[in-house]
Amino acid sequence: MSELPGIVITGASGRMGQMLIKTVVASDKCKLVGVVERAGHDWIGRDIGEAMGGAALGVTVTDDALDAFAKAQAVIDFTAPAATIAFAGLAAQARCVHVIGTTGMTEEDLAKITAAARHATIIRAGNMSLGVNLLTKLTKMVSAALDADYDIEIIEAHHNRKVDAPSGTALMLGEAAAEGRGVKLEEVRDSGRDGITGARKPGDIGFSAIRGGDIVGEHDVMFAGEGERIILRHVASDRSLFAKGALKAALWGQGKKPGEYDMLDVLGL
């Protein structure tokens, strides 16, 4: 048997699922041991390589997540909140690392993830790229250096099929900005401007979401003061960078104690 860590990919038919599968298969540091799709999906029972339009990979698509997880050392999960919560419990049972790139989760959802992390190693981030996590670090630093005379706006752009707004990355940047100022994001978040809204409230952190075409992901953090603006920016042009970051997290998590981690932990930032 190979000593390489076995990886399971959930949401196998999705764009990120397929990108993750290709990334794992191309790596010499791990092995694809399972792929999961929802019950009733027409890929169930098919070889994943053939289902994706290529050569057979010897891995059959299944809807039995627990069985797949039991054969793996890590699961990488970019699906939907309800599915991710269910997978968190199953990953904890299987004692495998759970890497979560799912966004759009509520506070109640996150509480369930925290509960699962008492028994499993969970690495969760709104964005898995190195650049975005550096941007998060810089956002916190700049926010801490500037007072409320500088308005903070987070502007994000994604493809027209993205279902949540603001993006998970935008919220991650907002959390960093709020932490830099020593406040809670939920107390200063402003993401619902429409109509006659009145003047901007000092200290608020604003969000704007753009949806269109095939934009992979763009994020600006703007600090707007009197007479100047400071803009921190990240542009993603290739979805594979998220898959590579997620795989890096899955490998980093091997041997780590149960608990919640993020990409800053993975990157040592």
Side-chain angles (χ1 to χ4, degrees):
M1 290 182 64
S2 171
E3 294 183 1
L4 296 176
I7 309 291
V8 168
I9 304 300
T10 62
S13 69
R15 287 180 304 156
M16 269 307 302
Q18 293 188 52
M19 180 62 71
L20 287 161
I21 289 165
K22 292 174 183 176
T23 301
V24 170
V25 170
S27 174
D28 61 0
K29 297 179 180 178
C30 60
K31 179 181 180 181
L32 183 70
V33 297
V35 288
V36 176
E37 255 301 345
R38 66 184 183 278
H41 195 281
D42 58 10
W43 282 17
I44 300 298
R46 298 179 61 190
D47 182 277
I48 185 57
E50 295 176 343
M52 290 169 55
L57 294 175
V59 177
T60 302
V61 182
T62 181
D63 59 5
D64 188 341
L66 183 56
D67 181 66
F69 293 0
K71 302 170 185 175
Q73 282 68 56
V75 52
I76 304 178
D77 174 20
F78 284 67
T79 53
T84 291
I85 291 166
F87 290 147
L90 297 177
Q93 289 184 50
R95 296 294 190 268
C96 62
V97 174
H98 188 188
V99 177
I100 299 174
T102 303
T103 60
M105 288 191 279
T106 65
E107 289 299 318
E108 183 179 356
D109 294 335
L110 294 176
K112 293 176 181 177
I113 297 296
T114 297
R118 290 198 291 267
H119 308 286
T121 302
I122 294 179
I123 304 165
R124 185 181 69 83
N127 193 299
M128 296 286 176
S129 85
L130 171 61
V132 162
N133 283 278
L134 289 172
L135 177 61
T136 302
K137 190 78 170 180
L138 290 170
T139 296
K140 181 178 177 181
M141 291 172 61
V142 175
S143 180
L146 301 176
D147 59 26
D149 287 340
Y150 285 80
D151 298 320
I152 302 176
E153 287 286 315
I154 298 171
I155 306 100
E156 55 101 342
H158 284 86
H159 54 85
N160 57 21
R161 294 169 300 283
K162 186 167 177 60
V163 299
D164 58 312
S167 69
T169 301
L171 292 172
M172 185 169 73
L173 293 167
E175 292 282 2
E179 188 175 348
R181 285 194 170 169
V183 297
K184 293 184 179 298
L185 180 59
E186 58 265 27
E187 296 174 356
V188 296
R189 174 176 168 178
D190 182 3
S191 56
R193 300 189 191 116
D194 185 32
I196 307 301
T197 61
R200 179 192 175 100
K201 182 180 176 182
D204 274 2
I205 296 175
F207 291 84
S208 297
I210 297 166
R211 296 289 178 267
D214 61 355
I215 302 170
V216 174
E218 300 178 4
H219 294 87
D220 289 356
V221 183
M222 177 190 297
F223 297 86
E226 293 293 330
E228 68 177 353
R229 284 174 291 165
I230 302 163
I231 301 174
L232 306 177
R233 184 166 218 227
H234 180 271
V235 176
S237 57
D238 187 342
R239 196 174 305 280
S240 68
L241 69 93
F242 307 126
K244 291 174 182 175
L247 179 55
K248 182 180 180 71
L251 297 175
W252 176 88
Q254 300 303 306
K256 297 295 186 296
K257 295 180 179 179
E260 288 186 271
Y261 303 88
D262 58 24
M263 283 301 288
L264 293 178
D265 295 313
V266 174
L267 299 170
L269 297 175

